[in-house]
Amino acid sequence: MNDKGLIIVGLVVFLALVAFPVWYNVAEGQADYVPELEIPVGVQECVMETEYMKANHMDLLNDWRDCVVRDGERMTVDQNGHEVEMSLTRTCLGCHTNKEAFCNRCHDYLGIEPYCWGCHVDPKEVQ
Amino acid sequence: MGIDRRKFIKASGLAALGLVSAAPVRLFGQHDSNMVDTTTPASPPSDGKPLVGNRWAMIVDLKKCLHEEGCTDCVAACHLTHNVPKFDNPKDEIKWIWKEGFHGAFHELGHKHLEEHILHSHVPVMCNHCDSPPCVKVCPTQATWKREQDGIVMMDWHRCIGCRYCMAACPYGSRSFNWRDPRPHIDKIDPNFPTRERGVVEKCTFCDERLAVGKLPSCVEACKAKALVFGDLEDAESEVRALLAEHYTIRRKPGLGTNPEIYYIV
């Protein structure tokens, strides 16, 4: 039983390989990389608070979807009491005109592929 | 002895049950407190008041439509509005409204000595928005359902799992299945309406999205012969009721008891 050294070396090599993505990013200075999202110009407020939208936009969109498709209700009221249409294409993309630099950039960073875009169309893409 | 095996098993069973039932309660509680109120009653959009009816129906005046032999304006307008793809292979075909030969549409009615112009006519056919839709009964996910307020047989592509039971159930062949990704086969995509994905069924929804903003279905709007009339059957003053009272009308496969709400003036 004199393989102690070999085992430790093997473990170190194994851990180094497994942790490659982590230490590679640290070495590259990318460890604290956060994508910069393009915020709409000239628009001050979203339909809900920014913090809420960051965490819950997907739930909000799910609720909107059910309201529009299942209940036939197409309008709602935003955080300031303004009436808005519950529409991903018209309301959301109406302000966030650069889907690539807002939606995609964050979804790519987080490794999320929402299936919304399988059917819903970015007006810019078809122009 | 403090506790025997039997008591121990009973107690652990109860404890497990308690844990399992407590979890959803906590989850639901959290969900409620976080939920946004998006169910505020909708008011009409600013650009046009929604068209409201208790039972939408359509009348196809074949006397007018026949004069426009070869015309497919209704088909073109509908398919353009709803991003319906065009495939070369007829097996992949997606259709919301199309023209069928008289025998195909009313095969139980025709006989070979029928008037020439009727025999050789092409009839616009679409989803019949039946009163008793068999497609709704068979859908396991309620992706297709009949809207209570106006009788439209709706289709929710978010829920459709592509089982195609509705296609088997529909006696009118009004549903199409996306065997292939439709998006590359759409000539001109309208971003105001979603395209569909491979693996879902689709059909005409009486332009519910247009009714919501006060517009008539696009086929009705596009028909230059004014052969398509859309209206509320429960409104005694409506144009559809007037036409039904004045003319003899037929429906497709009435014997099946689905009560189709597309009427044809012959």
Side-chain angles (χ1 to χ4, degrees):
Chain A
M1 295 295 282
N2 284 331
D3 294 340
K4 204 182 194 176
L6 261 179
I7 290 171
I8 288 172
V9 170
L11 272 176
V12 167
V13 170
F14 172 75
L15 284 176
L17 282 176
V18 165
F20 176 79
V22 177
W23 61 254
Y24 181 79
N25 275 339
V26 171
E28 285 276 298
Q30 295 273 313
D32 53 355
Y33 168 76
V34 176
E36 206 172 293
L37 306 183
E38 202 177 288
I39 308 295
V41 185
V43 184
Q44 299 304 315
E45 280 164 342
C46 198
V47 292
M48 297 304 264
E49 297 270 347
T50 309
E51 283 310 309
Y52 177 83
M53 289 306 282
K54 274 184 188 168
N56 298 305
H57 61 280
M58 56 304 251
D59 295 331
L60 179 109
L61 288 170
N62 263 349
D63 287 341
W64 279 16
R65 176 188 75 185
D66 288 345
C67 280
V68 173
V69 183
R70 307 300 300 195
D71 307 329
E73 310 239 341
R74 289 173 180 262
M75 305 301 281
T76 188
V77 174
D78 73 0
Q79 56 174 340
N80 297 317
H82 297 135
E83 204 165 60
V84 287
E85 190 188 358
M86 292 186 266
S87 167
L88 172 65
T89 323
R90 285 184 288 275
T91 303
C92 302
L93 294 185
C95 294
H96 295 284
T97 46
N98 196 344
K99 171 176 165 276
E100 190 58 47
F102 185 78
C103 315
N104 294 7
R105 201 171 281 174
C106 197
H107 290 152
D108 289 349
Y109 170 67
L110 294 166
I112 292 167
E113 280 182 48
Y115 48 76
C116 312
W117 309 111
C119 294
H120 293 272
V121 185
D122 173 13
K124 264 193 170 175
E125 275 175 24
V126 293
Q127 264 172 13
Chain B
M1 208 171 143
I3 184 165
D4 61 14
R5 192 169 59 181
R6 186 174 293 242
K7 275 185 187 156
F8 174 76
I9 290 172
K10 271 187 192 166
S12 23
L14 278 174
L17 203 68
L19 277 175
V20 169
S21 56
V25 169
R26 209 166 53 234
L27 273 175
F28 285 134
Q30 258 176 11
H31 182 62
D32 279 345
S33 62
N34 284 341
M35 229 157 67
V36 207
D37 182 24
T38 50
T39 51
T40 325
S43 59
S46 52
D47 52 343
K49 283 187 178 175
L51 294 182
V52 182
N54 292 316
R55 207 336 164 183
W56 292 124
M58 195 180 288
I59 296 191
V60 183
D61 189 339
L62 289 181
K63 286 177 185 165
K64 288 182 179 172
C65 188
L66 295 185
H67 293 305
E68 299 289 337
E69 198 69 70
C71 168
T72 50
D73 284 357
C74 51
V75 181
C78 168
H79 288 190
L80 188 73
T81 315
H82 300 112
N83 295 323
V84 175
K86 279 193 188 74
F87 291 106
D88 297 333
N89 186 349
K91 284 181 180 173
D92 296 329
E93 191 183 16
I94 309 280
K95 47 192 184 181
W96 284 32
I97 170 170
W98 68 103
K99 283 193 139 185
E100 187 83 59
F102 188 85
H103 268 306
F106 301 101
H107 63 86
E108 74 277 37
L109 289 182
H111 55 80
K112 64 179 180 177
H113 302 299
L114 206 66
E115 281 178 77
E116 263 312 283
H117 74 279
I118 291 184
L119 264 183
H120 296 115
S121 66
H122 284 84
V123 181
V125 290
M126 65 202 93
C127 169
N128 281 282
H129 297 279
C130 308
D131 260 357
S132 178
C135 55
V136 169
K137 287 179 196 149
V138 297
C139 179
T141 62
Q142 290 176 25
T144 190
W145 80 104
K146 197 177 130 200
R147 247 184 10 187
E148 273 175 33
Q149 70 265 36
D150 54 14
I152 294 182
V153 177
M154 290 284 294
M155 173 85 226
D156 183 351
W157 298 297
H158 302 103
R159 279 203 195 187
C160 179
I161 54 169
C163 70
R164 290 171 284 141
Y165 284 6
C166 56
M167 293 178 76
C170 176
Y172 307 102
S174 296
R175 291 168 167 267
S176 311
F177 183 67
N178 284 280
W179 291 101
R180 298 163 66 189
D181 179 17
R183 206 176 269 187
H185 300 272
I186 303 169
D187 291 341
K188 191 174 179 294
I189 294 179
D190 184 347
N192 286 314
F193 201 82
T195 65
R196 268 71 62 195
E197 281 191 310
R198 194 165 69 94
V200 296
V201 175
E202 57 182 85
K203 72 172 198 72
C204 148
T205 60
F206 255 169
C207 283
D208 71 292
E209 84 287 355
R210 286 172 61 90
L211 300 178
V213 293
K215 291 179 181 167
L216 283 171
S218 54
C219 55
V220 176
E221 203 178 86
C223 179
K224 52 180 180 272
K226 305 268 179 253
L228 303 177
V229 180
F230 181 79
D232 184 8
L233 274 187
E234 291 197 9
D235 173 9
E237 305 296 313
S238 65
E239 198 184 347
V240 283
R241 281 286 289 275
L243 284 169
L244 286 177
E246 279 170 30
H247 300 274
Y248 177 70
T249 47
I250 55 172
R251 294 189 289 176
R252 294 183 68 197
K253 304 184 182 177
L256 297 178
T258 59
N259 265 323
E261 296 294 14
I262 309 280
Y263 298 80
Y264 294 86
I265 298 175
V266 279

